[in-house]
Amino acid sequence: MKEITIKILEGTETRDLNVESGIQLLDLVDQNPSDGKMVVGAKVNKRLVELGYRIFKPSEVEFVTTEDAIGSEMYKRSLTLLMVRAFHEAFPEKRVRVNYSLGQGFFCTIYDTDNKLQEPTRDELKQVKNIMRRLVEEKKPIEKKVLKTSEAVKLFREHGMTQKAELFRYRRASRVNLYELDGYMDYFYGYMLPSTEGLSRFNLIPFDDGFILAVPRRNSLQVGRVHRAPESLYTALREAEEWGNQLELSGVGQLNTEICRGHLNELILMQEAVMEKKIADIAEDIHAKKRKLVLIAGPSSSGKTTFSNRLAIQLRAHGLRPHPIAMDNFFKERLETPKDENGKYDFECIDAMDLELFNTTMEKLLKGEEARMPKFDFTLGEKKYDGRTLKLQPEDVLVVEGIHALNPASTYALPGDSSYKIYISALTQLNLDEHNRISTSDTRLLRRIVRDARTRGNDAANTIAMWESVRRGEEKNIFPFQGEADALFNSALIYELPAIKIIAEPLLFMVGRDREEYYEAKRLLKFLDYFLGIDFSTVPTNSLLREFIGGGCFEI
């Protein structure tokens, strides 16, 4: 057998390894690590592959673990297949649906053959868990199978997976990759582990009328025994899900069908009407509670600016006069800004904010006193005062937007009953199909790619490169405080991805193979390929989507 040399990349170090040509990557890794992370895939010459991949020539290999974002998703995806397979064995007459991410897991529901919701019992979940554990102990292989698209659609219909069948009705490719686990075949968007070995970190937790498939944390592979997530978040997700069900638009295939039938304009108007009513309800609540300080926070690309503008209009309709204030104007001077572990200024941590000045200014305004309003010069890294002052009248309301707005530390000196806190995020109500959810993070990343290219001159590769850092900042500074909110606003639009597709695809195609971000760009292109594109000229000028695609009526 011919021998080849491969270079194993491990951080900044490399080591050469002489192996037989044709060796599987799986033969090079330890599936029972002691360091709390697990190898689940690899990049061979910078191309992402599964561990079943064979190497026939000298190559560079970098293993992907559960500590990597890509690896963590591979683990969760494989775990989902394991769960669906176990349900199929335990209750072949029932259908399990993976709805959305909630807390440290996925909220799932079960339906009978008439598509009626069936609340699972603890005994039923225990039965499924036992089957999952058995399949893990038996180290069953997860094998990729290539089928004709027509054969796959037939298989989906036989298994009652109507959303999958509808999705592949619009697939251009003549063949499709399915994954088989112990005789059960299904389609999943993305790569898998080679077997069930190592998929022992999970739990099934009863929740409301469904259950949570608890998945491991990315950095530790630890799984919670109980479910924790803000009630307001679950309520918003459930409302979005139920609205989609009413429209019979739970999957992308159904959305594509509506586009083909020419029902797009009606769908856009209905979605915008629902969103406007939500904003009006929040404005009415602020007015009724006589709150003078409105605090708005949310993750990147959630649409905070357009939401603030539309909320201001609704507040005016209630006889109030809103004054927008950006917390960014209360940054500390550059020389006082903390630095991160790499020695770079950390503008996202709360210690970068001049909280003393912010609280003193807000306190004066709430007491009816006049206050000087700073303007932060980001070029010079210092606050400026241009003579602008503010003094609140009885009908005036302060509308403050910032990533730390919901953190109690930001308003430590202000009375609790003076503020109204709003958390905004794009909680996608649409899934690809029964078992493949659409990540809220993916929707926001695509929004940001389109907006950054239009307003900041950033190419897609640069936006993708900084996204991991943005997500870390959100995990630390935004998500922990969503439970503080008086209201949660869902900014996701059921029609937005078909509109964004037309703009995002050329930007993603420009990411070169030599860039580290090439795989992510390729993955997003594959994701967008499931959607039929639409002419976004029909999107209203006051739509939140206009903040990203341009052409809106608000100054942003």
Side-chain angles (χ1 to χ4, degrees), residues 349-389:
C349 73
I350 194 167
D351 291 330
M353 306 302 302
D354 190 339
L355 295 181
E356 183 178 356
L357 177 64
F358 178 74
N359 278 266
T360 301
T361 304
M362 295 301 111
E363 198 171 21
K364 281 184 178 180
L365 292 171
L366 291 174
K367 288 179 178 178
E369 300 174 10
E370 187 173 40
R372 292 197 307 159
M373 303 306 293
K375 177 75 174 178
F376 196 84
D377 187 321
F378 286 91
T379 303
L380 297 176
E382 60 186 33
K383 290 184 284 291
K384 299 284 187 181
Y385 290 91
D386 56 8
R388 178 173 173 256
T389 63

Side-chain angles (χ1 to χ4, degrees), residues 253-311:
Q254 294 164 315
L255 176 61
N256 288 338
T257 298
E258 290 300 295
I259 292 172
C260 289
R261 288 174 177 169
H263 297 166
L264 178 64
N265 285 345
E266 182 183 0
L267 181 63
I268 290 175
L269 293 172
M270 281 194 297
Q271 173 81 87
E272 294 294 342
V274 168
M275 188 166 282
E276 192 63 34
K277 184 179 184 305
K278 286 285 184 185
I279 298 172
D281 289 344
I282 292 173
E284 184 175 350
D285 197 30
I286 293 168
H287 179 256
K289 291 177 177 175
K290 296 181 170 58
R291 301 295 169 84
K292 302 292 286 183
L293 176 63
V294 178
L295 301 167
I296 303 171
S300 174
S301 304
S302 53
K304 295 183 290 294
T305 305
T306 300
F307 169 79
S308 299
N309 277 288
R310 288 176 65 169
L311 178 63

